[in-house]
């Protein structure tokens, strides 16, 4: 997962430099997926929660829906299914 994490960090930095909030949201969502796959659910939740408003702002419903589903999975894993 280290390579994926590094690439998504680079993608986020590039999106920030270009002031591209949609792609920053996508990069954050992907970082959240990496953290969840690593088993770091708390970190994943923070990243996904940061991604969601950016995705919603730019109408990226497809990735936003995946973020919501992943947030729910992570909350369940943390013992908070609500």
């Amino acid at each position: 997962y280290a390579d994926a994490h590094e690439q998504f960090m680079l993608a986020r930095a590039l999106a920030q430099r270009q002031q591209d909030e949609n792609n920053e949201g996508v990069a954050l969502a992907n970082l959240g997926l990496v953290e969840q796959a690593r088993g770091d659910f708390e970190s994943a939740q923070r990243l996904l929660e940061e991604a969601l408003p950016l995705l919603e702002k730019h109408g990226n419903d497809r990735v936003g829906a995946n973020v919501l589903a992943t947030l729910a999975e992570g909350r369940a894993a943390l013992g908070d299914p609500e």
Side-chain angles (χ1 to χ4, degrees), residues 1-81:
Y1 298 112
D3 289 340
H5 187 269
E6 181 181 342
Q7 292 302 311
F8 291 133
M9 289 295 292
L10 291 171
R12 180 184 185 192
L14 179 60
Q16 287 175 323
R17 279 196 305 276
Q18 295 177 343
Q19 298 179 349
D20 183 345
E21 291 180 329
N22 180 59
N23 279 320
E24 182 180 357
V26 171
L28 285 164
N30 285 319
L31 283 165
L33 290 172
V34 169
E35 292 305 308
Q36 187 152 314
R38 286 178 166 174
D40 186 349
F41 295 103
E42 290 177 1
S43 203
Q45 294 289 297
R46 284 191 300 275
L47 289 161
L48 294 166
E49 288 169 356
E50 189 177 348
L52 193 56
L54 296 174
L55 298 167
E56 289 174 339
K57 179 179 177 181
H58 294 282
N60 195 335
D61 296 334
R62 183 184 60 80
V63 177
N66 287 333
V67 165
L68 288 171
T70 306
L71 279 167
E73 291 172 3
R75 287 186 179 133
L78 289 169
D80 180 20

